[in-house]
Amino acid sequence: MKTTMKAGLSALAITAVAMSAQAAELGATGEPIKLAINEWTGQHVTTHVAGEMLKAAGYDVEYVTAGMMNQFQAIADGDIHATLEIWSSNVSDQYAVLKGEGKLEELSDLGLNAREGIAYPAHVADLCPGLPAWEALKDCAINFATAETLPAGRLVDYPADWGTPGADRMTGLDLPFKAVPAGSEGALIAELRASTEKKSPLLITFWQPHWAMSAYDVKFVDLPAGEDACFTDPAWGPNPNAINDCDFSASRIFKAGWPGLKDKWPAAHEILVNYQLAVEDQQPMMGAVDVDGQSVEEVVAAWMGANEDKWKSVVDAAIK
């Protein structure tokens, strides 16, 4: 599963609106609330801010490493109690099944203004005249080719366990590119850094919010609008023989939890439902981790300490 990176951590970070006039019970404070940690830095920031809010309310919090695609059964089983940054464009079919069976509770939207797409560093426009129009890629694919992909161009796709959205679009739009999954988020960043420094060609599946979108001047390819029919009706779109011949659907980022959360830890449930995070708040913290080399824990602690007036109200509304 992205705007301008600010230098400091003093920007507005959380819009938290209390949705209940009465405080909730804390519940089982002697047992830790387990929050899922997925594979990307933004999710780590999102989750640790939520965790610090829960700690401020009086809870113990445990962070559990979980794959984005395989975390949902663990939540349904109560082994993990919440996951805080689910991208609608990458969510597994299992999520919908478990939610429909009442084994998962969707908590609320996180509030991030997100975008996913096929992207390139700005200098690549000189190597592929006609960008950002997607049709330009038909004629310059050879400029992106590697020994691994010849005669096709190379698209660096998301890590394999995030799905295959880039590959799906290359097939749907009948573009002469081979999608090669990155090993990790860090590998995606390494590709952007190397391309920017060497002025070499790069086509990549990427997203915002992410600090790298501004640090490396990344642009999105203009694809046909991602309408629902594109994903089900081959007759829709420029390729009459395939689906996925369009851009990503507008991404929705949301939170989900174990259905027992609201009964076992009522105030925690209220805090997580009301928790919101904005792009301009998350990105500087991501940059402090990935660019400046700080730990997620120290970055989040610094933000929490400097911005108590921005998050404390949602905690107080749940417990007082």
mmCIF file with all atom_site columns, all heavy atoms in Angstrom, residues 113-138:
data_model
loop_
_atom_site.group_PDB
_atom_site.id
_atom_site.type_symbol
_atom_site.label_atom_id
_atom_site.label_alt_id
_atom_site.label_comp_id
_atom_site.label_asym_id
_atom_site.label_entity_id
_atom_site.label_seq_id
_atom_site.pdbx_PDB_ins_code
_atom_site.Cartn_x
_atom_site.Cartn_y
_atom_site.Cartn_z
_atom_site.occupancy
_atom_site.B_iso_or_equiv
_atom_site.pdbx_formal_charge
_atom_site.auth_seq_id
_atom_site.auth_comp_id
_atom_site.auth_asym_id
_atom_site.auth_atom_id
_atom_site.pdbx_PDB_model_num
ATOM 1   N N   . ASN A 1 113 ? -4.949 10.717 3.069   1.00 0.00 ? 113 ASN A N   1
ATOM 2   C CA  . ASN A 1 113 ? -5.276 10.981 1.674   1.00 0.00 ? 113 ASN A CA  1
ATOM 3   C C   . ASN A 1 113 ? -4.267 10.241 0.820   1.00 0.00 ? 113 ASN A C   1
ATOM 4   O O   . ASN A 1 113 ? -3.121 10.658 0.683   1.00 0.00 ? 113 ASN A O   1
ATOM 5   C CB  . ASN A 1 113 ? -5.231 12.487 1.401   1.00 0.00 ? 113 ASN A CB  1
ATOM 6   C CG  . ASN A 1 113 ? -5.515 12.817 -0.043  1.00 0.00 ? 113 ASN A CG  1
ATOM 7   O OD1 . ASN A 1 113 ? -6.132 12.033 -0.750  1.00 0.00 ? 113 ASN A OD1 1
ATOM 8   N ND2 . ASN A 1 113 ? -5.059 13.964 -0.491  1.00 0.00 ? 113 ASN A ND2 1
ATOM 9   N N   . ALA A 1 114 ? -4.688 9.144  0.242   1.00 0.00 ? 114 ALA A N   1
ATOM 10  C CA  . ALA A 1 114 ? -3.731 8.216  -0.352  1.00 0.00 ? 114 ALA A CA  1
ATOM 11  C C   . ALA A 1 114 ? -3.896 8.102  -1.857  1.00 0.00 ? 114 ALA A C   1
ATOM 12  O O   . ALA A 1 114 ? -4.958 8.361  -2.415  1.00 0.00 ? 114 ALA A O   1
ATOM 13  C CB  . ALA A 1 114 ? -3.919 6.836  0.277   1.00 0.00 ? 114 ALA A CB  1
ATOM 14  N N   . ARG A 1 115 ? -2.810 7.682  -2.501  1.00 0.00 ? 115 ARG A N   1
ATOM 15  C CA  . ARG A 1 115 ? -2.847 7.367  -3.924  1.00 0.00 ? 115 ARG A CA  1
ATOM 16  C C   . ARG A 1 115 ? -1.832 6.275  -4.204  1.00 0.00 ? 115 ARG A C   1
ATOM 17  O O   . ARG A 1 115 ? -0.749 6.260  -3.626  1.00 0.00 ? 115 ARG A O   1
ATOM 18  C CB  . ARG A 1 115 ? -2.526 8.600  -4.773  1.00 0.00 ? 115 ARG A CB  1
ATOM 19  C CG  . ARG A 1 115 ? -2.563 8.293  -6.274  1.00 0.00 ? 115 ARG A CG  1
ATOM 20  C CD  . ARG A 1 115 ? -2.264 9.484  -7.141  1.00 0.00 ? 115 ARG A CD  1
ATOM 21  N NE  . ARG A 1 115 ? -2.271 9.103  -8.542  1.00 0.00 ? 115 ARG A NE  1
ATOM 22  C CZ  . ARG A 1 115 ? -1.998 9.932  -9.553  1.00 0.00 ? 115 ARG A CZ  1
ATOM 23  N NH1 . ARG A 1 115 ? -1.682 11.198 -9.299  1.00 0.00 ? 115 ARG A NH1 1
ATOM 24  N NH2 . ARG A 1 115 ? -2.029 9.496  -10.800 1.00 0.00 ? 115 ARG A NH2 1
ATOM 25  N N   . GLU A 1 116 ? -2.194 5.377  -5.088  1.00 0.00 ? 116 GLU A N   1
ATOM 26  C CA  . GLU A 1 116 ? -1.261 4.377  -5.589  1.00 0.00 ? 116 GLU A CA  1
ATOM 27  C C   . GLU A 1 116 ? -1.242 4.443  -7.107  1.00 0.00 ? 116 GLU A C   1
ATOM 28  O O   . GLU A 1 116 ? -2.207 4.877  -7.735  1.00 0.00 ? 116 GLU A O   1
ATOM 29  C CB  . GLU A 1 116 ? -1.686 2.969  -5.162  1.00 0.00 ? 116 GLU A CB  1
ATOM 30  C CG  . GLU A 1 116 ? -1.572 2.715  -3.679  1.00 0.00 ? 116 GLU A CG  1
ATOM 31  C CD  . GLU A 1 116 ? -1.946 1.290  -3.336  1.00 0.00 ? 116 GLU A CD  1
ATOM 32  O OE1 . GLU A 1 116 ? -3.129 1.046  -3.083  1.00 0.00 ? 116 GLU A OE1 1
ATOM 33  O OE2 . GLU A 1 116 ? -1.051 0.427  -3.324  1.00 0.00 ? 116 GLU A OE2 1
ATOM 34  N N   . GLY A 1 117 ? -0.139 4.014  -7.692  1.00 0.00 ? 117 GLY A N   1
ATOM 35  C CA  . GLY A 1 117 ? -0.083 4.033  -9.137  1.00 0.00 ? 117 GLY A CA  1
ATOM 36  C C   . GLY A 1 117 ? 1.238  3.557  -9.682  1.00 0.00 ? 117 GLY A C   1
ATOM 37  O O   . GLY A 1 117 ? 2.111  3.086  -8.952  1.00 0.00 ? 117 GLY A O   1
ATOM 38  N N   . ILE A 1 118 ? 1.388  3.674  -11.000 1.00 0.00 ? 118 ILE A N   1
ATOM 39  C CA  . ILE A 1 118 ? 2.637  3.396  -11.691 1.00 0.00 ? 118 ILE A CA  1
ATOM 40  C C   . ILE A 1 118 ? 3.393  4.721  -11.751 1.00 0.00 ? 118 ILE A C   1
ATOM 41  O O   . ILE A 1 118 ? 2.851  5.733  -12.195 1.00 0.00 ? 118 ILE A O   1
ATOM 42  C CB  . ILE A 1 118 ? 2.390  2.840  -13.101 1.00 0.00 ? 118 ILE A CB  1
ATOM 43  C CG1 . ILE A 1 118 ? 1.472  1.596  -13.028 1.00 0.00 ? 118 ILE A CG1 1
ATOM 44  C CG2 . ILE A 1 118 ? 3.705  2.499  -13.771 1.00 0.00 ? 118 ILE A CG2 1
ATOM 45  C CD1 . ILE A 1 118 ? 2.002  0.468  -12.160 1.00 0.00 ? 118 ILE A CD1 1
ATOM 46  N N   . ALA A 1 119 ? 4.637  4.722  -11.308 1.00 0.00 ? 119 ALA A N   1
ATOM 47  C CA  . ALA A 1 119 ? 5.349  5.975  -11.101 1.00 0.00 ? 119 ALA A CA  1
ATOM 48  C C   . ALA A 1 119 ? 6.759  5.921  -11.690 1.00 0.00 ? 119 ALA A C   1
ATOM 49  O O   . ALA A 1 119 ? 7.251  4.856  -12.092 1.00 0.00 ? 119 ALA A O   1
ATOM 50  C CB  . ALA A 1 119 ? 5.417  6.292  -9.602  1.00 0.00 ? 119 ALA A CB  1
ATOM 51  N N   . TYR A 1 120 ? 7.396  7.103  -11.714 1.00 0.00 ? 120 TYR A N   1
ATOM 52  C CA  . TYR A 1 120 ? 8.752  7.203  -12.241 1.00 0.00 ? 120 TYR A CA  1
ATOM 53  C C   . TYR A 1 120 ? 9.408  8.458  -11.685 1.00 0.00 ? 120 TYR A C   1
ATOM 54  O O   . TYR A 1 120 ? 8.723  9.456  -11.418 1.00 0.00 ? 120 TYR A O   1
ATOM 55  C CB  . TYR A 1 120 ? 8.729  7.266  -13.777 1.00 0.00 ? 120 TYR A CB  1
ATOM 56  C CG  . TYR A 1 120 ? 7.913  8.415  -14.330 1.00 0.00 ? 120 TYR A CG  1
ATOM 57  C CD1 . TYR A 1 120 ? 8.508  9.641  -14.643 1.00 0.00 ? 120 TYR A CD1 1
ATOM 58  C CD2 . TYR A 1 120 ? 6.540  8.282  -14.528 1.00 0.00 ? 120 TYR A CD2 1
ATOM 59  C CE1 . TYR A 1 120 ? 7.760  10.700 -15.139 1.00 0.00 ? 120 TYR A CE1 1
ATOM 60  C CE2 . TYR A 1 120 ? 5.781  9.338  -15.017 1.00 0.00 ? 120 TYR A CE2 1
ATOM 61  C CZ  . TYR A 1 120 ? 6.392  10.543 -15.321 1.00 0.00 ? 120 TYR A CZ  1
ATOM 62  O OH  . TYR A 1 120 ? 5.636  11.602 -15.807 1.00 0.00 ? 120 TYR A OH  1
ATOM 63  N N   . PRO A 1 121 ? 10.737 8.467  -11.491 1.00 0.00 ? 121 PRO A N   1
ATOM 64  C CA  . PRO A 1 121 ? 11.423 9.702  -11.113 1.00 0.00 ? 121 PRO A CA  1
ATOM 65  C C   . PRO A 1 121 ? 11.301 10.722 -12.248 1.00 0.00 ? 121 PRO A C   1
ATOM 66  O O   . PRO A 1 121 ? 11.273 10.352 -13.431 1.00 0.00 ? 121 PRO A O   1
ATOM 67  C CB  . PRO A 1 121 ? 12.870 9.255  -10.912 1.00 0.00 ? 121 PRO A CB  1
ATOM 68  C CG  . PRO A 1 121 ? 12.793 7.777  -10.680 1.00 0.00 ? 121 PRO A CG  1
ATOM 69  C CD  . PRO A 1 121 ? 11.635 7.308  -11.509 1.00 0.00 ? 121 PRO A CD  1
ATOM 70  N N   . ALA A 1 122 ? 11.226 12.009 -11.901 1.00 0.00 ? 122 ALA A N   1
ATOM 71  C CA  . ALA A 1 122 ? 10.923 13.044 -12.885 1.00 0.00 ? 122 ALA A CA  1
ATOM 72  C C   . ALA A 1 122 ? 11.860 13.026 -14.086 1.00 0.00 ? 122 ALA A C   1
ATOM 73  O O   . ALA A 1 122 ? 11.432 13.292 -15.218 1.00 0.00 ? 122 ALA A O   1
ATOM 74  C CB  . ALA A 1 122 ? 10.961 14.403 -12.202 1.00 0.00 ? 122 ALA A CB  1
ATOM 75  N N   . HIS A 1 123 ? 13.150 12.706 -13.886 1.00 0.00 ? 123 HIS A N   1
ATOM 76  C CA  . HIS A 1 123 ? 14.095 12.743 -15.007 1.00 0.00 ? 123 HIS A CA  1
ATOM 77  C C   . HIS A 1 123 ? 13.786 11.711 -16.079 1.00 0.00 ? 123 HIS A C   1
ATOM 78  O O   . HIS A 1 123 ? 14.232 11.835 -17.228 1.00 0.00 ? 123 HIS A O   1
ATOM 79  C CB  . HIS A 1 123 ? 15.534 12.521 -14.499 1.00 0.00 ? 123 HIS A CB  1
ATOM 80  C CG  . HIS A 1 123 ? 15.806 11.113 -14.078 1.00 0.00 ? 123 HIS A CG  1
ATOM 81  N ND1 . HIS A 1 123 ? 15.643 10.685 -12.769 1.00 0.00 ? 123 HIS A ND1 1
ATOM 82  C CD2 . HIS A 1 123 ? 16.203 10.017 -14.786 1.00 0.00 ? 123 HIS A CD2 1
ATOM 83  C CE1 . HIS A 1 123 ? 15.948 9.406  -12.701 1.00 0.00 ? 123 HIS A CE1 1
ATOM 84  N NE2 . HIS A 1 123 ? 16.277 8.970  -13.896 1.00 0.00 ? 123 HIS A NE2 1
ATOM 85  N N   . VAL A 1 124 ? 12.996 10.685 -15.747 1.00 0.00 ? 124 VAL A N   1
ATOM 86  C CA  . VAL A 1 124 ? 12.687 9.616  -16.699 1.00 0.00 ? 124 VAL A CA  1
ATOM 87  C C   . VAL A 1 124 ? 11.843 10.144 -17.861 1.00 0.00 ? 124 VAL A C   1
ATOM 88  O O   . VAL A 1 124 ? 11.840 9.554  -18.952 1.00 0.00 ? 124 VAL A O   1
ATOM 89  C CB  . VAL A 1 124 ? 12.000 8.443  -15.977 1.00 0.00 ? 124 VAL A CB  1
ATOM 90  C CG1 . VAL A 1 124 ? 11.450 7.409  -16.943 1.00 0.00 ? 124 VAL A CG1 1
ATOM 91  C CG2 . VAL A 1 124 ? 12.994 7.774  -15.015 1.00 0.00 ? 124 VAL A CG2 1
ATOM 92  N N   . ALA A 1 125 ? 11.150 11.269 -17.659 1.00 0.00 ? 125 ALA A N   1
ATOM 93  C CA  . ALA A 1 125 ? 10.372 11.851 -18.755 1.00 0.00 ? 125 ALA A CA  1
ATOM 94  C C   . ALA A 1 125 ? 11.261 12.180 -19.947 1.00 0.00 ? 125 ALA A C   1
ATOM 95  O O   . ALA A 1 125 ? 10.807 12.135 -21.102 1.00 0.00 ? 125 ALA A O   1
ATOM 96  C CB  . ALA A 1 125 ? 9.638  13.097 -18.271 1.00 0.00 ? 125 ALA A CB  1
ATOM 97  N N   . ASP A 1 126 ? 12.535 12.481 -19.713 1.00 0.00 ? 126 ASP A N   1
ATOM 98  C CA  . ASP A 1 126 ? 13.465 12.758 -20.811 1.00 0.00 ? 126 ASP A CA  1
ATOM 99  C C   . ASP A 1 126 ? 13.860 11.487 -21.546 1.00 0.00 ? 126 ASP A C   1
ATOM 100 O O   . ASP A 1 126 ? 14.291 11.540 -22.709 1.00 0.00 ? 126 ASP A O   1
ATOM 101 C CB  . ASP A 1 126 ? 14.725 13.446 -20.277 1.00 0.00 ? 126 ASP A CB  1
ATOM 102 C CG  . ASP A 1 126 ? 14.439 14.815 -19.684 1.00 0.00 ? 126 ASP A CG  1
ATOM 103 O OD1 . ASP A 1 126 ? 13.472 15.463 -20.137 1.00 0.00 ? 126 ASP A OD1 1
ATOM 104 O OD2 . ASP A 1 126 ? 15.173 15.216 -18.763 1.00 0.00 ? 126 ASP A OD2 1
ATOM 105 N N   . LEU A 1 127 ? 13.724 10.347 -20.865 1.00 0.00 ? 127 LEU A N   1
ATOM 106 C CA  . LEU A 1 127 ? 14.096 9.064  -21.467 1.00 0.00 ? 127 LEU A CA  1
ATOM 107 C C   . LEU A 1 127 ? 12.917 8.385  -22.148 1.00 0.00 ? 127 LEU A C   1
ATOM 108 O O   . LEU A 1 127 ? 13.103 7.394  -22.865 1.00 0.00 ? 127 LEU A O   1
ATOM 109 C CB  . LEU A 1 127 ? 14.661 8.126  -20.388 1.00 0.00 ? 127 LEU A CB  1
ATOM 110 C CG  . LEU A 1 127 ? 15.822 8.685  -19.556 1.00 0.00 ? 127 LEU A CG  1
ATOM 111 C CD1 . LEU A 1 127 ? 16.198 7.713  -18.454 1.00 0.00 ? 127 LEU A CD1 1
ATOM 112 C CD2 . LEU A 1 127 ? 17.016 8.977  -20.454 1.00 0.00 ? 127 LEU A CD2 1
ATOM 113 N N   . CYS A 1 128 ? 11.724 8.919  -21.905 1.00 0.00 ? 128 CYS A N   1
ATOM 114 C CA  . CYS A 1 128 ? 10.503 8.344  -22.482 1.00 0.00 ? 128 CYS A CA  1
ATOM 115 C C   . CYS A 1 128 ? 9.579  9.489  -22.877 1.00 0.00 ? 128 CYS A C   1
ATOM 116 O O   . CYS A 1 128 ? 8.638  9.819  -22.145 1.00 0.00 ? 128 CYS A O   1
ATOM 117 C CB  . CYS A 1 128 ? 9.828  7.406  -21.483 1.00 0.00 ? 128 CYS A CB  1
ATOM 118 S SG  . CYS A 1 128 ? 8.418  6.498  -22.177 1.00 0.00 ? 128 CYS A SG  1
ATOM 119 N N   . PRO A 1 129 ? 9.843  10.126 -24.007 1.00 0.00 ? 129 PRO A N   1
ATOM 120 C CA  . PRO A 1 129 ? 9.028  11.265 -24.432 1.00 0.00 ? 129 PRO A CA  1
ATOM 121 C C   . PRO A 1 129 ? 7.550  10.902 -24.504 1.00 0.00 ? 129 PRO A C   1
ATOM 122 O O   . PRO A 1 129 ? 7.172  9.826  -24.970 1.00 0.00 ? 129 PRO A O   1
ATOM 123 C CB  . PRO A 1 129 ? 9.587  11.588 -25.819 1.00 0.00 ? 129 PRO A CB  1
ATOM 124 C CG  . PRO A 1 129 ? 10.986 11.071 -25.794 1.00 0.00 ? 129 PRO A CG  1
ATOM 125 C CD  . PRO A 1 129 ? 10.926 9.834  -24.942 1.00 0.00 ? 129 PRO A CD  1
ATOM 126 N N   . GLY A 1 130 ? 6.732  11.799 -24.011 1.00 0.00 ? 130 GLY A N   1
ATOM 127 C CA  . GLY A 1 130 ? 5.287  11.551 -23.990 1.00 0.00 ? 130 GLY A CA  1
ATOM 128 C C   . GLY A 1 130 ? 4.745  11.288 -22.606 1.00 0.00 ? 130 GLY A C   1
ATOM 129 O O   . GLY A 1 130 ? 3.542  11.404 -22.369 1.00 0.00 ? 130 GLY A O   1
ATOM 130 N N   . LEU A 1 131 ? 5.621  10.900 -21.656 1.00 0.00 ? 131 LEU A N   1
ATOM 131 C CA  . LEU A 1 131 ? 5.155  10.767 -20.277 1.00 0.00 ? 131 LEU A CA  1
ATOM 132 C C   . LEU A 1 131 ? 4.695  12.133 -19.775 1.00 0.00 ? 131 LEU A C   1
ATOM 133 O O   . LEU A 1 131 ? 5.243  13.160 -20.175 1.00 0.00 ? 131 LEU A O   1
ATOM 134 C CB  . LEU A 1 131 ? 6.287  10.237 -19.382 1.00 0.00 ? 131 LEU A CB  1
ATOM 135 C CG  . LEU A 1 131 ? 6.601  8.753  -19.487 1.00 0.00 ? 131 LEU A CG  1
ATOM 136 C CD1 . LEU A 1 131 ? 7.841  8.404  -18.650 1.00 0.00 ? 131 LEU A CD1 1
ATOM 137 C CD2 . LEU A 1 131 ? 5.425  7.888  -19.041 1.00 0.00 ? 131 LEU A CD2 1
ATOM 138 N N   . PRO A 1 132 ? 3.662  12.173 -18.935 1.00 0.00 ? 132 PRO A N   1
ATOM 139 C CA  . PRO A 1 132 ? 3.096  11.065 -18.150 1.00 0.00 ? 132 PRO A CA  1
ATOM 140 C C   . PRO A 1 132 ? 2.006  10.231 -18.820 1.00 0.00 ? 132 PRO A C   1
ATOM 141 O O   . PRO A 1 132 ? 1.418  9.372  -18.171 1.00 0.00 ? 132 PRO A O   1
ATOM 142 C CB  . PRO A 1 132 ? 2.513  11.801 -16.940 1.00 0.00 ? 132 PRO A CB  1
ATOM 143 C CG  . PRO A 1 132 ? 2.075  13.116 -17.488 1.00 0.00 ? 132 PRO A CG  1
ATOM 144 C CD  . PRO A 1 132 ? 3.127  13.484 -18.503 1.00 0.00 ? 132 PRO A CD  1
ATOM 145 N N   . ALA A 1 133 ? 1.676  10.467 -20.097 1.00 0.00 ? 133 ALA A N   1
ATOM 146 C CA  . ALA A 1 133 ? 0.656  9.656  -20.760 1.00 0.00 ? 133 ALA A CA  1
ATOM 147 C C   . ALA A 1 133 ? 1.106  8.199  -20.823 1.00 0.00 ? 133 ALA A C   1
ATOM 148 O O   . ALA A 1 133 ? 2.243  7.905  -21.226 1.00 0.00 ? 133 ALA A O   1
ATOM 149 C CB  . ALA A 1 133 ? 0.399  10.191 -22.162 1.00 0.00 ? 133 ALA A CB  1
ATOM 150 N N   . TRP A 1 134 ? 0.241  7.286  -20.460 1.00 0.00 ? 134 TRP A N   1
ATOM 151 C CA  . TRP A 1 134 ? 0.628  5.883  -20.386 1.00 0.00 ? 134 TRP A CA  1
ATOM 152 C C   . TRP A 1 134 ? 0.996  5.311  -21.746 1.00 0.00 ? 134 TRP A C   1
ATOM 153 O O   . TRP A 1 134 ? 1.848  4.413  -21.846 1.00 0.00 ? 134 TRP A O   1
ATOM 154 C CB  . TRP A 1 134 ? -0.481 5.052  -19.747 1.00 0.00 ? 134 TRP A CB  1
ATOM 155 C CG  . TRP A 1 134 ? -1.739 4.903  -20.576 1.00 0.00 ? 134 TRP A CG  1
ATOM 156 C CD1 . TRP A 1 134 ? -2.817 5.735  -20.600 1.00 0.00 ? 134 TRP A CD1 1
ATOM 157 C CD2 . TRP A 1 134 ? -2.019 3.851  -21.502 1.00 0.00 ? 134 TRP A CD2 1
ATOM 158 N NE1 . TRP A 1 134 ? -3.758 5.272  -21.480 1.00 0.00 ? 134 TRP A NE1 1
ATOM 159 C CE2 . TRP A 1 134 ? -3.306 4.106  -22.048 1.00 0.00 ? 134 TRP A CE2 1
ATOM 160 C CE3 . TRP A 1 134 ? -1.330 2.718  -21.923 1.00 0.00 ? 134 TRP A CE3 1
ATOM 161 C CZ2 . TRP A 1 134 ? -3.903 3.282  -22.989 1.00 0.00 ? 134 TRP A CZ2 1
ATOM 162 C CZ3 . TRP A 1 134 ? -1.935 1.882  -22.875 1.00 0.00 ? 134 TRP A CZ3 1
ATOM 163 C CH2 . TRP A 1 134 ? -3.201 2.171  -23.387 1.00 0.00 ? 134 TRP A CH2 1
ATOM 164 N N   . GLU A 1 135 ? 0.392  5.853  -22.822 1.00 0.00 ? 135 GLU A N   1
ATOM 165 C CA  . GLU A 1 135 ? 0.667  5.333  -24.155 1.00 0.00 ? 135 GLU A CA  1
ATOM 166 C C   . GLU A 1 135 ? 2.142  5.474  -24.533 1.00 0.00 ? 135 GLU A C   1
ATOM 167 O O   . GLU A 1 135 ? 2.654  4.712  -25.362 1.00 0.00 ? 135 GLU A O   1
ATOM 168 C CB  . GLU A 1 135 ? -0.202 6.052  -25.188 1.00 0.00 ? 135 GLU A CB  1
ATOM 169 C CG  . GLU A 1 135 ? -1.699 5.788  -25.059 1.00 0.00 ? 135 GLU A CG  1
ATOM 170 C CD  . GLU A 1 135 ? -2.400 6.800  -24.167 1.00 0.00 ? 135 GLU A CD  1
ATOM 171 O OE1 . GLU A 1 135 ? -1.696 7.506  -23.389 1.00 0.00 ? 135 GLU A OE1 1
ATOM 172 O OE2 . GLU A 1 135 ? -3.637 6.887  -24.231 1.00 0.00 ? 135 GLU A OE2 1
ATOM 173 N N   . ALA A 1 136 ? 2.823  6.453  -23.928 1.00 0.00 ? 136 ALA A N   1
ATOM 174 C CA  . ALA A 1 136 ? 4.244  6.645  -24.234 1.00 0.00 ? 136 ALA A CA  1
ATOM 175 C C   . ALA A 1 136 ? 5.070  5.410  -23.892 1.00 0.00 ? 136 ALA A C   1
ATOM 176 O O   . ALA A 1 136 ? 6.114  5.156  -24.511 1.00 0.00 ? 136 ALA A O   1
ATOM 177 C CB  . ALA A 1 136 ? 4.774  7.859  -23.466 1.00 0.00 ? 136 ALA A CB  1
ATOM 178 N N   . LEU A 1 137 ? 4.616  4.634  -22.927 1.00 0.00 ? 137 LEU A N   1
ATOM 179 C CA  . LEU A 1 137 ? 5.372  3.462  -22.496 1.00 0.00 ? 137 LEU A CA  1
ATOM 180 C C   . LEU A 1 137 ? 5.428  2.370  -23.568 1.00 0.00 ? 137 LEU A C   1
ATOM 181 O O   . LEU A 1 137 ? 6.304  1.501  -23.536 1.00 0.00 ? 137 LEU A O   1
ATOM 182 C CB  . LEU A 1 137 ? 4.772  2.899  -21.207 1.00 0.00 ? 137 LEU A CB  1
ATOM 183 C CG  . LEU A 1 137 ? 4.851  3.830  -19.995 1.00 0.00 ? 137 LEU A CG  1
ATOM 184 C CD1 . LEU A 1 137 ? 4.021  3.271  -18.846 1.00 0.00 ? 137 LEU A CD1 1
ATOM 185 C CD2 . LEU A 1 137 ? 6.304  4.025  -19.558 1.00 0.00 ? 137 LEU A CD2 1
ATOM 186 N N   . LYS A 1 138 ? 4.500  2.414  -24.525 1.00 0.00 ? 138 LYS A N   1
ATOM 187 C CA  . LYS A 1 138 ? 4.509  1.408  -25.589 1.00 0.00 ? 138 LYS A CA  1
ATOM 188 C C   . LYS A 1 138 ? 5.759  1.526  -26.447 1.00 0.00 ? 138 LYS A C   1
ATOM 189 O O   . LYS A 1 138 ? 6.287  0.524  -26.922 1.00 0.00 ? 138 LYS A O   1
ATOM 190 C CB  . LYS A 1 138 ? 3.269  1.591  -26.478 1.00 0.00 ? 138 LYS A CB  1
ATOM 191 C CG  . LYS A 1 138 ? 1.944  1.360  -25.799 1.00 0.00 ? 138 LYS A CG  1
ATOM 192 C CD  . LYS A 1 138 ? 0.797  1.614  -26.771 1.00 0.00 ? 138 LYS A CD  1
ATOM 193 C CE  . LYS A 1 138 ? -0.563 1.410  -26.137 1.00 0.00 ? 138 LYS A CE  1
ATOM 194 N NZ  . LYS A 1 138 ? -1.668 1.684  -27.091 1.00 0.00 ? 138 LYS A NZ  1
#
